């Protein structure tokens, strides 16, 4: 408890400080932002402040969902919806979908976004339909999940610019990460209106609500304020205000919103004030502002467990599109697949940090689950090479069980659907065996032949015949 109290005091101290600017004129807006955020924190009880701290740093416990809890909360949520008087858009959505009332999965996303508070979930759901109707109109049922083909040419072009991106990796606590940089949209702000740009942003963020793990653990947002031009200030004001609202009406729980100000200008500080004002109290106390150079802001993000290796925005306001282009391609495949076939059981868009992934490339190699697998293989390297075939199979099975034990899965990217799907146990064992063989090859290349010991009898499934076979120092698997 003492360590949490100290960390909370340090957090409040940082929020109350004003970054150093070259003029008093620039310091005023930044001071007002930090003062607003600190003031909101002071209104909370100690228990509420601890909850905020745990959310921001990703140390809060995930609610254990039992069938009884889900059934009771869904029933209470329905009763709360009935008590809401002004819910015309909700009634419209209900009439448009004959199975809306029994769509358990759809309503469960709103319960998770409010930590299973039935009353808040009911209000959230009604507000979601109201805003969605305002944004998208009545051409499609309100319950319908907007797809790429629904965006239109203009919104699709805005999406392809990459101002809003979903990172391919989760943070150190397993939460999905969405990043937004308004400067990327400046070249097209005269060509496209704000509703068109908002529609593209809505699509990007709404895809996160499809993932069950993201619903449970929440989302971390990063707002990159570098490279902004005062010429587009009015566009930025409206766009950031609408962005903040979107983050609150979608069935997502924003665990923290990191706002990075690298320019130290009055414009960025004013815009951050607009974001803070548009945020409700729940989101506002979870906002964190970071000031300094681009590397300094990235260092701050790393301290919160956010991987910056794949961060798509540069110091001058530029954007990297490699991962974003891949993400759009996967979305096209997924939507085309789901248009023809039912969803694949257990398929995911963003693997968890415990998952072991099939594939090549540095991104796969550095995935946390793959790093864990390599550590396990290294630990059992000598034992594996000392066993005959049946013993190797048993050891590979044990390691697969270890990965499953910490909720890890062995996933392979399905080329047709663009989603990650779990492989069979036999394929998982082969993945482990391949890693052992690869580890042995690397050891041999490094001249580590002495580390490979003569094979010995396995404790299970090895027959007398296996043990009497001539020993081969480098017997394959």
């Amino acid at each position: 408890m003492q360590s949490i109290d100290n960390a909370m005091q340090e957090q409040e101290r940082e929020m109350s400080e004003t970054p150093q600017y070259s003029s008093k004129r620039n310091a005023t807006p930044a001071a007002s932002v930090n003062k607003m955020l600190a003031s909101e924190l002071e209104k909370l009880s100690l228990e509420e402040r601890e909850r905020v701290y745990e959310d921001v740093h990703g140390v809060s416990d995930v609610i254990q969902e039992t069938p009884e809890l889900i059934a009771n909360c869904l029933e209470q949520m329905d009763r709360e919806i009935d008590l809401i008087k002004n819910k015309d858009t909700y009634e419209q959505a209900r009439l448009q979908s004959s199975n809306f009332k029994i769509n358990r999965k759809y309503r469960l996303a709103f319960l998770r976004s409010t930590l299973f508070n039935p009353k808040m979930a009911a209000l959230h759901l009604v507000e979601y339909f109201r805003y969605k109707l305002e944004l998208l109109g009545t051409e499609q049922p309100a319950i319908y999940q907007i797809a790429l083909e629904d965006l239109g040419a203009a919104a699709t072009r805005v999406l392809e610019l990459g101002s809003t991106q979903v990172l391919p990796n989760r943070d150190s606590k397993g939460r999905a990460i969405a990043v937004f940089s308004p400067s990327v949209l400046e070249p097209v702000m005269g060509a496209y209106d704000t509703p068109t740009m908002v529609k593209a942003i809505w699509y990007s963020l709404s895809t996160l609500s499809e993932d069950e793990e993201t619903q449970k653990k929440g989302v971390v947002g990063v707002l990159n304020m570098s490279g902004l031009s005062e010429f587009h200030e009015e566009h930025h004001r409206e766009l950031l205000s609408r962005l903040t609202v979107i983050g609150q009406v979608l069935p997502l729980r924003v665990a923290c919103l990191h706002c990075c100000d690298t320019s130290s200008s009055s414009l960025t500080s004013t815009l951050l004030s607009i974001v803070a004002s548009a945020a409700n109290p729940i989101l506002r106390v979870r906002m964190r502002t970071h000031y300094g150079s681009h590397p300094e802001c990235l260092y701050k993000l790393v301290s919160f467990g956010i991987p910056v290796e794949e961060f798509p925005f540069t110091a001058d306001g530029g954007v990297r599109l490699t991962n974003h282009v891949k993400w759009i391609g996967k979305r096209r495949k997924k939507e085309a697949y789901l248009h023809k076939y039912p969803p694949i059981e257990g398929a995911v868009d963003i693997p968890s940090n415990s998952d072991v992934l099939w594939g090549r490339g540095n991104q796969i190699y550095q995935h946390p689950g793959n790093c864990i697998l390599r550590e396990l293989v290294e630990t059992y390297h000598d034992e594996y090479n000392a066993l005959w075939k049946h013993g190797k199979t048993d050891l590979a099975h044990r390691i697969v069980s270890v990965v499953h034990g910490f909720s890890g899965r062995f996933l392979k990217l399905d080329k047709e659907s663009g989603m990650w799907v779990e492989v069979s146990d036999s394929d998982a064992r082969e993945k482990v065996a391949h890693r052992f063989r690869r580890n042995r090859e690397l050891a041999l290349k490094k001249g580590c032949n002495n580390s490979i010991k003569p094979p010995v009898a396995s404790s299970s499934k090895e027959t007398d015949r296996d043990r009497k076979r001539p020993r081969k120092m480098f017997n394959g698997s």
Side-chain angles (χ1 to χ4, degrees):
M1 175 66 74
Q2 185 65 32
S3 61
I4 291 182
D5 289 343
N6 293 339
M8 289 171 60
Q9 291 172 7
E10 176 67 16
Q11 174 179 295
E12 292 175 11
R13 183 187 64 79
E14 291 180 357
M15 292 175 64
S16 63
E17 290 179 347
T18 302
Q20 297 300 313
Y21 294 98
S22 58
S23 68
K24 294 182 179 179
R25 172 181 170 273
N26 285 339
T28 303
S32 65
V33 173
N34 288 343
K35 184 177 180 181
M36 182 187 302
L37 301 183
S39 175
E40 289 291 341
L41 271 178
E42 291 173 358
K43 297 176 183 178
L44 303 179
S45 65
L46 179 60
E47 182 179 352
E48 291 171 331
R49 289 158 70 185
E50 287 180 1
R51 177 68 193 184
V52 170
Y53 173 86
E54 291 172 350
D55 278 349
V56 169
H57 292 272
V59 295
S60 55
D61 295 328
V62 176
I63 293 177
Q64 298 301 313
E65 299 181 5
T66 64
E68 294 77 16
L69 173 68
I70 292 175
N72 290 337
C73 287
L74 286 174
E75 184 178 347
Q76 293 179 46
M77 181 180 173
D78 288 339
R79 290 199 296 267
E80 292 292 344
I81 291 175
D82 291 338
L83 295 175
I84 299 175
K85 295 181 179 180
N86 186 13
K87 55 177 185 290
D88 294 343
T89 51
Y90 171 84
E91 293 295 342
Q92 181 177 336
R94 186 176 62 83
L95 293 174
Q96 288 174 331
S97 177
S98 59
N99 67 339
F100 177 75
K101 198 67 176 178
I102 60 173
N103 197 329
R104 173 180 176 275
K105 183 178 179 180
Y106 198 85
R107 291 177 293 150
L108 186 55
F110 287 89
L111 277 172
R112 287 171 174 154
S113 71
T114 59
L115 299 177
F116 283 84
N117 183 316
K119 184 174 183 177
M120 289 182 62
L123 293 170
H124 192 172
L125 179 62
V126 171
E127 180 64 13
Y128 167 81
F129 284 123
R130 185 196 66 76
Y131 190 85
K132 189 174 182 181
L133 182 65
E134 175 186 325
L135 176 66
L136 305 178
T138 59
E139 296 178 1
Q140 298 168 337
I143 197 173
Y144 179 77
Q145 176 68 37
I146 185 172
L148 273 170
E149 63 181 13
D150 304 318
L151 291 179
T156 300
R157 174 55 185 152
V158 172
L159 176 71
E160 292 171 345
L161 291 175
S163 65
T164 310
Q165 297 192 31
V166 176
L167 297 194
N169 299 325
R170 298 178 183 272
D171 74 352
S172 61
K173 305 304 178 182
R175 301 173 297 188
I177 308 166
V179 294
F180 177 68
S181 183
S183 64
V184 175
L185 296 175
E186 287 188 352
V188 298
M189 281 184 171
Y192 303 121
D193 57 16
T194 299
T196 297
M197 292 186 279
V198 170
K199 193 174 184 179
I201 296 171
W202 173 282
Y203 173 79
S204 296
L205 298 180
S206 67
T207 62
L208 291 168
S209 65
E210 301 172 10
D211 184 78
E212 184 173 316
E213 183 170 0
T214 300
Q215 293 176 12
K216 293 178 178 179
K217 294 186 176 181
V219 177
V220 174
V222 179
L223 180 59
N224 177 45
M225 302 296 287
S226 64
L228 299 180
S229 169
E230 292 186 1
F231 180 77
H232 297 287
E233 180 176 351
E234 290 304 316
H235 288 98
H236 288 312
R237 284 172 174 266
E238 184 177 3
L239 192 61
L240 287 170
S241 178
R242 298 286 290 273
L243 170 70
T244 307
V245 174
I246 290 175
Q248 296 170 113
V249 299
L250 285 172
L252 292 170
R253 185 170 60 86
V254 182
C256 184
L257 175 61
H258 296 276
C259 304
C260 299
D261 181 1
T262 61
S263 63
S264 299
S265 68
S266 60
L267 172 62
T268 55
S269 297
T270 300
L271 294 176
L272 286 177
S273 296
I274 291 174
V275 172
S277 299
N280 60 32
I282 295 176
L283 176 59
R284 194 177 301 140
V285 295
R286 288 165 174 77
M287 288 179 60
R288 295 296 177 268
T289 53
H290 309 302
Y291 301 94
S293 65
H294 187 69
E296 288 172 334
C297 285
L298 292 183
Y299 180 79
K300 282 283 190 179
L301 295 178
V302 170
S303 70
F304 283 88
I306 298 176
V308 297
E309 296 83 6
E310 305 295 337
F311 197 73
F313 304 122
T314 60
D316 59 357
V319 58
R320 301 184 183 97
L321 294 173
T322 303
N323 287 324
H324 187 58
V325 170
K326 291 180 181 179
W327 177 81
I328 292 177
K330 290 179 181 178
R331 291 299 308 177
R332 292 189 190 280
K333 288 182 178 181
K334 177 180 180 179
E335 292 170 6
Y337 182 91
L338 294 179
H339 186 71
K340 299 178 182 178
Y341 310 105
I344 302 174
E345 183 68 28
V348 296
D349 294 320
I350 308 175
S352 77
N353 291 340
S354 303
D355 294 331
V356 177
L357 309 183
W358 255 250
R360 297 179 180 273
N362 188 62
Q363 194 175 103
I364 298 294
Y365 185 83
Q366 295 295 341
H367 185 75
N370 291 54
C371 294
I372 293 173
L373 177 62
R374 288 198 300 274
E375 291 177 2
L376 288 170
V377 168
E378 185 65 33
T379 300
Y380 292 98
H381 171 83
D382 290 346
E383 180 179 346
Y384 184 84
N385 284 292
L387 296 171
W388 293 108
K389 183 175 181 180
H390 290 298
K392 293 178 187 291
T393 301
D394 288 344
L395 181 55
H397 178 74
R398 281 162 50 197
I399 291 180
V400 170
S401 298
V402 170
V403 173
H404 288 162
F406 52 75
S407 302
R409 300 161 294 187
F410 288 79
L411 302 180
K412 191 173 186 178
L413 187 64
D414 182 70
K415 294 182 178 180
E416 185 177 5
S417 67
M419 293 180 282
W420 291 94
V421 297
E422 190 167 8
V423 303
S424 64
D425 284 348
S426 61
D427 285 342
R429 288 195 298 271
E430 177 55 34
K431 172 73 172 178
V432 174
H434 172 77
R435 188 63 246 174
F436 270 116
R437 293 193 294 270
R438 180 59 180 159
N439 201 57
R440 184 175 60 186
E441 292 170 4
L442 294 174
L444 290 174
K445 287 181 180 179
K446 294 178 180 178
C448 298
N449 302 25
N450 293 334
S451 67
I452 304 178
K453 301 177 181 179
V456 296
S458 171
S459 59
S460 61
K461 290 191 178 181
E462 284 197 302
T463 64
D464 291 338
R465 180 180 178 183
D466 292 324
R467 290 191 287 271
K468 292 178 182 178
R469 291 168 56 189
R471 293 179 175 179
K472 296 181 181 179
M473 182 65 70
F474 305 118
N475 179 51
S477 61

